[in-house]
Amino acid sequence: QRMEAIGTLASGIAHDFNNMLSAIMGYTELARTQLPEGSPAEKSLGQVVKAGIRARDLVAQLLSIGRKYQVDREAVKIGVILKEALNLLRATIPTSIEIRAALHPDAGLVYADPTEIHQLIMNLCTNAYQAMEEKGGLLRITLEPVSLKEEKCDEKIQPPIHKGHYLKLTVSDTGSGMDEDTITHIFDPFFTTKERGKGTGLGLATVRRIITELKGGVSVESAPGKGSTFTLFLPRYEGGEEKS
């Protein structure tokens, strides 16, 4: 009941804020068109637009917590979305962080909304690189098909999953890591260990919500000073009728 109340509150705030945000971004873009290209004011307004885009993404996460959103699920190739996300990450993260990706060419399909998959990837990768911002490190992403037997379904995977064919997406970092107590709370909405202005506490809550609705699971391995590894198991789409 507490989680439902938080979701309702978050959704109400998000809807009202989204209306104001639309006006802010709209008038900002209009003002940019009235300025000469390259002017200091034009560049400053460009930063306003970037901040608006980040705020829009936050609104989407708030709405997803409250489950007041629409999804359009279809058979999608995670590898394609993953490559697009990595291109975006390479342009934004510090050069002290190396990205290594190993994507299986025949990983297969999952039945999902492409935006959901993009959110999963970006939330996990953003957390990973922020854990390494101070000292640098290695961000590793792997994608591969796996077949799980009942006896091999790890109890650490939550929510529990059954035997079957999955796509296994792993995001690991060499950052600061987490202790056991922190791990037990990381999927709670608004829980964050980051300093003010760097985290909303919604990223991993969104990951948990999406992975649960896609009938998959997630496991976490971490220790202080030894980095973190998040592993997602998404059911492979084998064809046939699916309902979102």
Side-chain angles (χ1 to χ4, degrees), residues 10-59:
S11 294
I13 294 172
H15 278 296
D16 290 341
F17 180 66
N18 203 35
N19 291 333
M20 293 183 285
L21 185 61
S22 296
I24 291 170
M25 294 184 69
Y27 280 108
T28 300
E29 288 285 13
L30 181 62
R32 290 180 72 187
T33 63
Q34 298 169 352
L35 293 169
E37 185 176 352
S39 72
E42 197 273 338
K43 292 181 180 179
S44 297
L45 290 175
Q47 294 302 313
V48 175
V49 172
K50 288 183 179 180
I53 292 172
R54 289 194 294 271
R56 185 183 62 194
D57 292 340
L58 174 59
V59 168

Side-chain angles (χ1 to χ4, degrees), residues 191-213:
F191 175 82
T192 180
T193 59
K194 300 170 187 173
E195 62 187 72
R196 183 179 295 273
K198 285 212 170 177
T200 62
L202 291 174
L204 291 179
T206 300
V207 168
R208 175 61 185 250
R209 190 268 304 166
I210 292 173
I211 202 71
T212 299
E213 294 203 349

